Amino acid sequence: MNKKIISSLELGRVVAIFAILAMHCGMFYSYFQFNEEPWFAYIFNQLTRFGVPLFFLLAGFFVQPKLATAPLDTLKQYSKPLVRIWVVWSAISLLFPFQWHVVMQNGYLAERKGYWGYLGEAPLNSLLEGGLVHLWFIPALIMAVGLIALLNHYKQTRLLLPIAVVLYIYGVLAGSYVVVTDLPSPFFTRNGPFFATLMVAIGYLIRQNEFTLKSKTAAAIAVLGLLIHFGEAFALDGYDAAFNAHDYLFGTALWATGLFLWLLNHPDLGNNKVVHYLGKRVLAIYVSHIIFIIAMQNVAGMYGFQGPMGDLVVFGGTVVITLLFVAIVERTPLQKWLIR
């Protein structure tokens, strides 16, 4: 399993990144409404939430051999390029104007000061996210890998799963369930170690123990997790928690884990050049795509594109520009700083 590319996992990566991209484009909100509520958009939004948990599972799975044999050295080698990319893209995001009409009316600094002020209102949370909200993934991943490395170094890996489960439960209760529990949190619990640790740990332990399930069982777990996730979202909607606001719920971990185990059982699925090409560039697409979404949303607004046409322009334009950007940067010295 560790001697060749597992095509199904590359396919999972590719499907996940485009699902996340589509979610970040905010598709379907202005149409397909029910009782004047964009329920189609809400449901689509939540259907994409397997994506980041799957990334964490994949990270734990692939880093396991090195992390188990040389934990601290692996942590250093693994984290260094991620920190560099996080810093560079945070700086880009802090400088890139989001509202072009404000820039044209009031100037660049007027537009940027509003955003910088917003970040300054919650400095710890902003630090864990970076210059733009989607960059939370990188510090969270490093924290999760760091915890596993330390537990390995001190020969305490038996504590990994209990710690990860406790962090996850607290993250959910003080996150999406805060409308019920009123549990305090030092920052938005999607950020930091609360959710990432469990997902990375599960991927790590699956690889370490060569754990597998039959495809039907894995699929059943994925479907059960999906149903629990949506059941929770519908229940929390009754407490005025926005249906489309949930990154992680209790069912999310089951959903992503079942999907991951199912993919492991079909290693040749997605075995083609396009999947392999895109799979190697998922991190580059992830860190860069939001900037291009913002740019295309501004373009769509300038030309009055709305509804399905607006979504098509924003999503299609973002995909094309992001892939072109990655392909061009790969041929320059900037690759090391921008896309690893």
Side-chain angles (χ1 to χ4, degrees):
M1 189 172 286
N2 61 351
K3 294 182 179 179
K4 66 176 184 177
I5 293 174
I6 303 173
S7 296
S8 58
L9 298 187
E10 294 300 288
L11 178 62
R13 265 195 239 269
V14 173
V15 173
I17 191 60
F18 285 107
I20 291 167
L21 194 153
M23 183 263 289
H24 285 158
C25 284
M27 300 180 71
F28 310 117
Y29 278 91
S30 62
Y31 52 103
F32 293 155
Q33 297 191 354
F34 180 74
N35 288 339
E36 298 184 353
E37 288 283 338
W39 277 104
F40 187 89
Y42 293 163
I43 291 170
F44 176 79
N45 176 288
Q46 289 299 290
L47 282 173
T48 67
R49 298 297 181 162
F50 72 93
V52 174
L54 183 61
F55 288 159
F56 285 134
L57 283 159
L58 288 163
F61 183 85
F62 285 115
V63 79
Q64 185 275 329
K66 291 183 178 180
L67 203 55
T69 55
L72 298 185
D73 286 343
T74 298
L75 174 62
K76 181 180 178 181
Q77 295 168 6
Y78 191 83
S79 302
K80 188 176 179 180
L82 290 174
V83 170
R84 182 172 59 241
I85 290 173
W86 180 79
V87 169
V88 170
W89 279 102
S90 290
I92 292 170
S93 302
L94 289 171
L95 295 173
F96 185 81
F98 299 164
Q99 301 180 72
W100 295 359
H101 68 283
V102 175
V103 173
M104 289 185 285
Q105 292 173 1
N106 302 314
Y108 171 78
L109 283 179
E111 194 276 344
R112 285 292 78 197
K113 283 181 179 178
Y115 183 63
W116 299 337
Y118 165 76
L119 294 179
E121 292 174 0
L124 180 57
N125 197 68
S126 298
L127 178 63
L128 291 170
E129 290 182 350
L132 198 52
V133 63
H134 72 300
L135 295 174
W136 72 270
F137 171 82
I138 293 177
L141 175 58
I142 292 172
M143 288 180 187
V145 173
L147 176 60
I148 297 172
L150 288 173
L151 290 175
N152 265 298
H153 179 71
Y154 291 107
K155 312 298 183 185
Q156 299 295 324
T157 51
R158 68 184 185 278
L159 299 176
L160 174 57
L161 199 56
I163 291 172
V165 169
V166 169
L167 285 171
Y168 192 96
I169 291 172
Y170 174 78
V172 175
L173 293 178
S176 289
Y177 278 78
V178 72
V179 293
V180 179
T181 65
D182 286 324
L183 275 178
S185 173
F187 48 82
F188 187 32
T189 59
R190 177 202 55 199
N191 304 328
F194 296 112
F195 298 125
T197 302
L198 179 60
M199 304 316 300
V200 175
I202 290 172
Y204 177 94
L205 293 171
I206 286 173
R207 180 73 172 267
Q208 182 182 68
N209 297 295
E210 298 183 354
F211 182 80
T212 60
L213 286 177
K214 292 181 179 179
S215 291
K216 289 184 179 179
T217 304
I221 290 173
V223 172
L224 176 63
L226 172 65
L227 293 175
I228 293 173
H229 177 104
F230 270 81
E232 291 176 87
F234 275 113
L236 289 169
D237 185 65
Y239 291 90
D240 294 326
F243 186 88
N244 60 329
H246 308 294
D247 294 283
Y248 288 87
L249 294 166
F250 288 116
T252 319
L254 278 178
W255 176 14
T257 301
L259 176 59
F260 179 77
L261 289 167
W262 185 89
L263 289 170
L264 276 178
N265 285 341
H266 302 84
D268 293 325
L269 187 66
N271 187 13
N272 62 71
K273 292 181 179 179
V274 174
V275 168
H276 292 167
Y277 174 86
L278 293 172
K280 293 177 181 178
R281 292 157 177 85
V282 162
L283 178 62
I285 295 170
Y286 183 86
V287 295
S288 62
H289 76 281
I290 289 282
I291 291 292
F292 300 121
I293 288 176
I294 293 169
M296 291 309 303
Q297 287 174 337
N298 277 278
V299 170
M302 288 177 182
Y303 288 94
F305 295 123
Q306 298 178 354
M309 180 55 70
D311 282 353
L312 180 61
V313 168
V314 173
F315 178 76
T318 299
V319 169
V320 171
I321 295 171
T322 303
L323 294 180
L324 283 174
F325 170 81
V326 172
I328 291 169
V329 170
E330 283 180 337
R331 291 163 173 79
T332 74
L334 292 173
Q335 177 181 10
K336 177 182 178 181
W337 295 94
L338 294 176
I339 59 173
R340 202 177 180 180

